[in-house]
Amino acid sequence: MGGSAYDWPRTLMARGAEAQLRPEHLRRRPQEARSGALHCFLLDCSASMLKDGKLARAKGVLVALMEEAYRRRDRVALLCFGGNTVELRMPPRRAGAFNDAWLTPIAGGGGTPLTLGVQQAGILLAKHESAQRWLWLLTDGRSTESPTRPPGVDMATVVDFEAGPGALGRAASLAAAWRAAHVRPAL
């Protein structure tokens, strides 16, 4: 069976922080999930994400997730939060092939309005009840806020970019509170 038979985002979530991918981690792509999903990506663009290239790595993960949504013919939306604002960078639409024009201008800095970002993602997803609704939070968890999971989210994943000494584990705690998948991308 070819690589398209596997659902790589779910497979990587099942693997978690383990270094090796094992057969029990593999998840097959469900037939009903091939289309009709809306993936809302919530990207942390706060100042802490600028340290150690975390924002650059988050952009790389975002590109990979967008490409997978494109292959599945799903819809995507992108919200960026940082400073004291949340910006809708890409309203819900069919995923397209990678285009550097939307990714390059995303900059970082300022505080981490996590609750405001999660609220805006919840509002956006609530408008799309007919779709399977996915929320992807890409963050280092450097916020004292602990927002609740938006209602109506079918699948949630916290992609955690915090690493190294002094790690607080807030992204992992948020994922646990949300009953969401917690993924740490390879560095």
Side-chain angles (χ1 to χ4, degrees), residues 4-19:
S4 64
Y6 293 104
D7 185 336
W8 290 110
R10 286 182 53 231
T11 295
L12 295 175
M13 285 185 276
R15 182 191 76 186
E18 290 186 39

Side-chain angles (χ1 to χ4, degrees), residues 10-122:
R10 286 182 53 231
T11 295
L12 295 175
M13 285 185 276
R15 182 191 76 186
E18 290 186 39
Q20 278 193 313
L21 183 66
R22 297 189 318 242
E24 60 267 23
H25 296 140
L26 293 174
R27 301 293 188 261
R28 296 212 181 268
R29 181 174 297 157
Q31 290 296 326
E32 66 275 2
R34 282 179 124 22
S35 64
L38 172 60
H39 298 269
C40 179
F41 300 103
L42 185 56
L43 179 61
D44 182 348
C45 296
S46 64
S48 64
M49 288 290 286
L50 295 176
K51 295 178 185 168
D52 301 321
K54 290 183 275 189
L55 184 56
R57 285 195 313 276
K59 287 179 179 183
V61 169
L62 181 61
V63 166
L65 292 169
M66 290 268 192
E67 287 174 351
E68 178 63 23
Y70 172 70
R71 283 191 291 277
R72 295 170 59 119
R73 301 299 186 247
D74 288 339
R75 291 179 299 149
V76 295
L78 174 62
L79 290 160
C80 296
F81 66 96
N84 59 2
T85 63
V86 178
E87 182 182 355
L88 179 61
R89 296 296 299 239
M90 183 182 297
R93 67 179 189 196
R94 285 270 176 223
F98 175 72
N99 180 344
D100 198 41
W102 63 265
L103 185 63
T104 301
I106 296 174
T112 311
L114 178 59
T115 299
L116 184 60
V118 170
Q119 288 171 346
Q120 291 299 315

Side-chain angles (χ1 to χ4, degrees), residues 147-161:
T148 58
R149 177 177 167 157
V153 171
D154 298 307
M155 300 291 289
T157 301
V158 177
V159 184
D160 186 354
F161 291 91

